[in-house]
Amino acid sequence: MLCHTVMVAMATCLIYSSVVQSQFVQDEGVCGESKGCFSIPPGCDTADPANSCTAFSSWSLGEDGLILFNLVAGADGYIAIGLSKSGGMDDSEVYACTSNRAVVRSRNDVRSNIPLELKGVSDQSVTFENGVLSCTFKREQSVAGDSDFFDLQTENEYTPLLAWGASLTSDGHVTRHAEREVGSGPTDFTENIAAGVGSSVSALQKLHGIFMVLAWLGFASIGITTARFFKKSLPGKLCGKPSWFAVHRFCMVSVVTLAVIAYIVIIIHVGGYIKPEEGTIRFMHAILGTIVMALGPINVIMALFRPHPGEPWRNLFNWCHWGVGMSALLLGGVTILLGTSNRPGQEGGVLLQSVPQFVFPIAIALVFFHLAVWVLLTVIDLLQKKAVTEIPMEDKAGPNATSASTAGLAEQEPPNEPIIKLILYGVYVTVVLVGVMVIVLAVGIGKKM
C-alpha cells in the first residue's frame, strides 16, 4: 500500500512537471535570434521559464506573414501584452489571455480599459492549469479601416508592455493589473529582438514627483522651521529683509510655485482626476494632494494681507497662518509618502512604478527627523524661557517706531541664544537637502529594485 502511494505521488510530480513545462515552452527558438522576447525578470531562463521567469512573452514573424505571440505567467486571472504608442498604459492596444481560456482584445487610455472586437487574430490556444496561465495566438500585421488595430507592418514602433493579475470583469475582460512591466523602448515586432525592461513612469509623472518632493519635503520644511524657531537666531538682513523672513519668504514662494506646476502637470498626464476604482492609495494621494494644493495658496494670500505687528488682528493672523501652514506641511508629507510607497505586493495602486523601494524609508526618515528636531528645538526654547513669539516692537507712535515693517527685527541686537540652536539649524538644513536630493535623483533616474 505504501509503495503504491509513493509511486502515485512520483507519477503525479512527473505529470505536473511536464504540464508546467509544456505550458511555458510553446514556441521554439532562441530569444534575440529566432524570436523576440520580453521576460520578467530580465535574463531569466526563457528555455525553462517555469522555474525562472515570473512572466514571459515572445513573438516571431512566420512565413505566412502573421506574428506568433506566446504569453506565460503564474497568474490565475490573465496575462496580457500591450503595444504602446506612449510608452505607458495610455494609448495602447492590449491582448490578454484569460483563465476563462479565451483571448480578448482591448484599448487602453489613461483612465479606462475599453473592450474591442477580437479581429485579425487566429489560431488561439489557451491553457490554465496548476496556477500557470499560457497561450499562443497569431496576429495579422495590419487590418485596413480599424484605427484601433495598431499597424505592425508600416508603423511598427511600439513599446511592449506585460501585465498580469487575478481579476476579470463579468464578461471576461481584464481589470486593473496586479503587476506590470514596460519595455525599454519602441520595438519592431517583426524583428527578433530581446526587449529590456524600462521605466513605466512617464516624464510628466517624474516631474510631478520631483517638484512635490522639492516643495514639501524641502522648501516647506526649511521655510516653516526657520520662521518657527529662528526669528531671533538669524541676525542681519537678506535682500533688505530680516534674514529669517527672507529665507521663509523665498522657501514658501518656491513651495507654491513648484506645487502649482506639479499639480498642473499631473492633471495633464492623467487627463482629469483619478477615480476611486483606480486604487485606494492612488485615490487618497489625489484627495490629500488637492487639499494641500488648496491650503498652500490660501496661506500665501493670508501672508500678503497680514496685519502689522501690534495691530489688533495680528495674533489671530499668527495662529491662522501657523495652523494652515502646519496642516499643509503635514498633509504634504503624508501625500508624498503615499506617492513614494512601492512595496512588493502593495495593494491599492503604486503611483511611481520605477521608484526604488529604498525611497520610501528615506522619506519616512526625513519626516521623523523633522519632527525630532522640532521637539528638540521646543525643549531648548522652553529651557531658555524663550517665548516663541515675535520680538516686541516699540510703539508705532514713538519717535523710533519700527513696527510698521518687518525690517525692524534686523535693527535690534541679536539676542544671546544658545549656539546649539544654530548648530542644529545647520545640521537640519543639511540633512533635509541631502535627503531630498537623494529622493529627487531616485525619482528622476531610479529604477525599481
Side-chain angles (χ1 to χ4, degrees):
M1 179 66 178
L2 178 61
C3 181
H4 175 74
T5 302
V6 171
M7 291 179 63
V8 170
M10 292 178 62
T12 302
C13 290
L14 289 173
I15 293 173
Y16 173 78
S17 177
S18 63
V19 168
V20 172
Q21 182 70 11
S22 67
Q23 289 169 340
F24 270 88
V25 183
Q26 296 193 26
D27 57 350
E28 299 179 352
V30 178
C31 289
E33 296 182 9
S34 58
K35 62 183 178 182
C37 296
F38 183 26
S39 56
I40 308 300
C44 66
D45 185 3
T46 56
D48 185 22
N51 298 314
S52 180
C53 299
T54 302
F56 171 76
S57 65
S58 68
W59 53 87
S60 58
L61 180 62
E63 295 181 357
D64 55 4
L66 303 179
I67 298 177
L68 172 66
F69 283 92
N70 180 34
L71 306 176
V72 184
D76 56 2
Y78 67 89
I79 167 70
I81 186 167
L83 315 176
S84 173
K85 292 181 180 179
S86 65
M89 291 300 292
D90 54 307
D91 202 9
S92 59
E93 184 186 12
V94 178
Y95 293 87
C97 304
T98 73
S99 54
N100 295 339
R101 293 174 174 78
V103 176
V104 296
R105 173 175 171 245
S106 61
R107 178 70 180 269
N108 270 19
D109 59 23
V110 176
R111 303 174 64 83
S112 59
N113 182 281
I114 306 168
L116 298 174
E117 177 187 354
L118 186 65
K119 61 171 61 175
V121 172
S122 60
D123 297 339
Q124 307 101 298
S125 175
V126 183
T127 61
F128 175 56
E129 294 184 19
N130 302 312
V132 178
L133 179 59
S134 64
C135 75
T136 59
F137 61 88
K138 290 183 177 180
R139 181 191 186 275
E140 296 183 20
Q141 295 186 55
S142 62
V143 170
D146 186 351
S147 60
D148 288 324
F149 195 95
F150 288 5
D151 188 347
L152 297 183
Q153 188 169 25
T154 60
E155 301 176 2
N156 189 4
E157 286 295 325
Y158 305 106
T159 299
L161 309 173
L162 265 181
W164 57 100
S167 300
L168 295 173
T169 63
S170 58
D171 58 355
H173 280 272
V174 302
T175 58
R176 183 168 183 82
H177 49 266
E179 299 288 345
R180 179 188 67 175
E181 294 291 350
V182 59
S184 55
T187 300
D188 188 341
F189 286 86
T190 63
E191 298 290 339
N192 302 322
I193 298 173
V197 178
S199 170
S200 59
V201 179
S202 74
L204 292 180
Q205 285 177 291
K206 289 186 175 183
L207 186 63
H208 170 80
I210 289 171
F211 277 17
M212 286 302 192
V213 168
L214 286 171
W216 296 107
L217 289 187
F219 286 115
S221 297
I222 294 173
I224 293 177
T225 300
T226 301
R228 176 68 178 82
F229 292 101
F230 295 96
K231 287 181 180 179
K232 305 174 186 180
S233 303
L234 301 181
K237 293 183 178 182
L238 290 174
C239 302
K241 294 292 184 181
S243 298
W244 73 265
F245 183 78
V247 172
H248 176 72
R249 183 174 62 178
F250 170 78
C251 287
M252 303 322 290
V253 169
S254 299
V255 169
V256 174
T257 302
L258 290 172
V260 168
I261 294 174
Y263 193 76
I264 293 173
V265 161
I266 203 63
I267 289 294
I268 293 173
H269 169 76
V270 174
Y273 205 80
I274 291 178
K275 300 176 181 178
E277 57 265 27
E278 294 183 48
T280 303
I281 291 178
R282 292 169 62 86
F283 186 65
M284 286 302 300
H285 177 86
I287 293 295
L288 292 178
T290 301
I291 295 173
V292 170
M293 282 306 304
L295 294 176
I298 287 173
N299 225 21
V300 171
I301 294 172
M302 288 172 59
L304 293 176
F305 295 96
R306 67 187 183 279
H308 292 301
E311 292 186 354
W313 293 99
R314 181 67 181 205
N315 285 337
L316 178 61
F317 162 79
N318 286 343
W319 280 106
C320 292
H321 189 61
W322 177 85
V324 173
M326 282 300 300
S327 298
L329 179 63
L330 293 175
L331 288 178
V334 172
T335 306
I336 288 175
L337 292 180
L338 290 175
T340 56
S341 179
N342 194 5
R343 306 181 306 278
Q346 176 174 299
E347 298 293 335
V350 174
L351 278 81
L352 293 174
Q353 296 277 352
S354 66
V355 172
Q357 291 175 13
F358 67 78
V359 168
F360 184 63
I362 290 178
I364 290 180
L366 273 181
V367 172
F368 278 95
F369 172 75
H370 173 86
L371 295 176
V373 169
W374 271 44
V375 170
L376 186 56
L377 287 170
T378 301
V379 171
I380 292 173
D381 280 346
L382 290 175
L383 291 176
Q384 295 295 318
K385 298 182 179 180
K386 298 289 186 179
V388 191
T389 57
E390 298 177 46
I391 297 175
M393 298 292 187
E394 296 182 14
D395 189 347
K396 286 194 296 182
N400 299 319
T402 57
S403 60
S405 169
T406 52
L409 287 169
E411 296 171 1
Q412 302 187 34
E413 288 295 325
N416 184 24
E417 288 214 304
I419 189 64
I420 187 63
K421 285 192 70 174
L422 288 179
I423 294 175
L424 272 175
Y425 186 68
V427 171
Y428 173 78
V429 172
T430 301
V431 171
V432 168
L433 291 179
V434 171
V436 166
M437 290 312 300
V438 169
I439 296 176
V440 164
L441 289 174
V443 172
I445 64 176
K447 185 179 181 300
K448 185 176 178 181
M449 298 174 62

